[in-house]
Structure formats: C-alpha cells, structure tokens
Amino acid sequence: MLNFLESFSPVQQALIASLFTYGVTALGAGLVFFFKTINKSILNGMLGFAAGVMIAASFWSLLAPGIEMAENLGQVPYLTVAIGFLLGGAFLYLVDRLMPHLHMGLESSKAEGPKTSLQRSILLVLAITLHNIPEGLAVGVAFGAAALGDASGATIAGASVLALGIGLQNFPEGAAVSIPLRREGYTRGKAFFLGQSSGIVEPISAVLGAYAVTVIQPILPYALAFAAGAMIYVVVEELIPEAQMDSKLGKSSTDISTIGCMIGFTVMMVLDVALG
C-alpha cells in the first residue's frame, strides 16, 4: 500500500487517503439499511471512541511531528505549536458561529449559528460536517509534511496511519448520523444519502491542506498544530457533550462513553507508535 502511495504527489496521496476516510463514513452510514434504531448507550460508546481517536491523533500524528519540524526549520517549537493550536481552535469557533447547524437529539429551535430556514436534516448534517473539516485537513497536512522526508520527521507511513485511525472513527460516526435520521422518519435512502454527505468535505479539506503546505513549507508546523487545535475543539465542544447528553441513562451512560474514549485513544496510539 505504501509503495502504491509513493508513486503519487502529496496532493494526490491526500486525496486517495481522504477518499478512503470518506468511504468508511459511507460504509457506516450504510448500516441504516440494516437497522432502524440504535441503542443510545451504543451510540454514546461510538462517539466516545471517535473522541479518543481524535485526541490521540492530535498529539501523536500532529503536535509531536509539528514540534520536531519546527525545530528542524529553526523556529521556536513551543511558540509555533501554541500559535497554530490556538488558531485551529479559533477557526472552528468562528465556523461554529457562522455555519447554521443542529446537534443530534436537539429540537430545531436549538439550532446554532445564524438563523436559517434550512430543513432540520440539512442542519443535522452540517453539524457532523464541522467534525470532518479538521479531520480532512489533518490528513492533507500529514501527507504534505511527509513530502519533506527527513527534514520534517514525518513519513508516508505515519500519514497513512492517521488516515486509518480517522477512518476507524468515521465508521461509527457515519452510523451515528444516518440511523438517528431514520428514527426521525426519513427513508433509508435519504438517511444514507445525508449520512454519507457529511464526509464529502474531508477530501476537499485534505487536498487544500496538502497543497497549502507543499507550496509554503515554513507553515507546515503551524498547519499541523492548527489541525490538532481544530480537532481538540471538536472533541471538547461537540463529541464529548453529545456522548453524555442523555441523562435518562444515568451514570452508566457516561461510563460507556468514557470507556469508548479510552479505547479509541489506545487504538490510535498503538497504531501510530507501532506502525507510524
């Protein structure tokens, strides 16, 4: 697989890898053809797993290589990653305020962002799309960094592991979109279409990220930290609260999402350390 990727440019590598992560989202959304409902505890565990993967990826695949790269480029490592990390969070904060969206399980009146007449289904998909912007960006930046070889400390193997980890958490995330939509009365076909649509932004942001860092190499450490900050913002602001939203399930609900987060973190860490 790595030999196959090495024959392409960094932008093409990012596109291929992000099409994989999008495809896994579509596979997860395809579960709607087999299930009409999903147990809330299972959904919480899925969201917790996704959060754990994103937290681990933020450090092992983004911040750590960013620090090493900043040192190799003669930058002040702690200052570079701090600026990039905070800018990533600020970017998602602005997108969160400027893009109308609705989190799963909430009434339409609680939609966030500007007032809009968009359908509830579109608002739900836009909420998940916010998750996928930093994920695609992270994949693109990782392959862009790998193009520098020894100068960056990043490798195609490491970028591929990041794409694999994001793909793993995209599977339950796709199901977490489509199945609740089916429960709300949408047809299986429409629920699947909307569920997989949330992942389309990943190839777009991946290609943009890879292209930007290959054209302007000094921004690579900032870009890696930027992607990490955006991912952590999504985890803290959306994934974890959604994973623990249903108070009817009591403490067992938070336990399940917490265990899912621990497992997701461990899986991503092992993949990155062992294979990356």
Side-chain angles (χ1 to χ4, degrees):
M1 178 62 179
L2 294 181
N3 292 333
F4 169 75
L5 287 175
E6 287 174 354
S7 62
F8 295 94
S9 70
V11 172
Q12 292 171 326
Q13 292 169 356
L15 176 61
I16 293 170
S18 57
L19 285 175
F20 162 75
T21 61
Y22 159 71
V24 179
T25 301
L27 282 176
L31 290 180
V32 74
F33 291 108
F34 304 96
F35 304 98
K36 185 175 181 178
T37 61
I38 183 170
N39 184 278
K40 187 62 171 69
S41 294
I42 295 176
L43 179 59
N44 288 346
M46 288 179 172
L47 293 173
F49 179 88
V53 168
M54 291 179 72
I55 293 171
S58 295
F59 176 74
W60 298 102
S61 299
L62 298 171
L63 286 176
I67 292 171
E68 181 178 350
M69 199 179 306
E71 291 177 339
N72 293 337
L73 292 174
Q75 300 173 356
V76 182
Y78 65 85
L79 186 60
T80 296
V81 295
I83 292 173
F85 186 83
L86 292 176
L87 286 176
F91 170 74
L92 257 291
Y93 174 83
L94 289 175
V95 173
D96 201 43
R97 294 295 176 271
L98 297 176
M99 179 185 291
H101 60 283
L102 176 66
H103 297 295
M104 201 68 65
L106 296 180
E107 300 175 359
S108 299
S109 60
K110 294 185 178 180
E112 299 181 12
K115 296 296 182 181
T116 179
S117 58
L118 291 174
Q119 294 181 356
R120 173 181 171 83
S121 59
I122 301 300
L123 292 173
L124 290 169
V125 172
L126 287 175
I128 302 300
T129 300
L130 290 177
H131 299 182
N132 293 327
I133 292 174
E135 293 172 12
L137 181 63
V139 171
V141 170
F143 278 100
L148 288 180
D150 294 337
S152 67
T155 64
I156 292 179
S160 299
V161 167
L162 173 61
L164 176 61
I166 289 177
L168 286 176
Q169 65 93 28
N170 275 355
F171 184 81
E173 197 169 74
V177 180
S178 63
I179 295 178
L181 286 175
R182 172 62 177 158
R183 188 174 64 239
E184 292 189 11
Y186 292 92
T187 64
R188 285 186 170 88
K190 186 172 183 178
F192 168 75
F193 175 77
L194 292 172
Q196 62 83 32
S197 295
S198 65
I200 291 178
V201 70
E202 287 195 13
I204 298 172
S205 54
V207 167
L208 291 175
Y211 177 76
V213 298
T214 52
V215 172
I216 314 174
Q217 293 183 0
I219 71 168
L220 261 172
Y222 293 97
L224 287 166
F226 181 96
M231 290 176 71
I232 292 298
Y233 183 92
V234 168
V235 169
V236 177
E237 203 270 339
E238 297 185 21
L239 284 181
I240 291 178
E242 287 182 20
Q244 301 187 345
M245 184 181 296
D246 197 340
S247 60
K248 295 180 181 179
L249 297 177
K251 187 177 184 299
S252 62
S253 173
T254 61
D255 287 343
I256 291 171
S257 58
T258 301
I259 292 171
C261 183
M262 296 292 290
I263 294 174
F265 185 95
T266 302
V267 168
M268 186 65 214
M269 178 178 63
V270 169
L271 284 174
D272 210 307
V273 175
L275 303 177

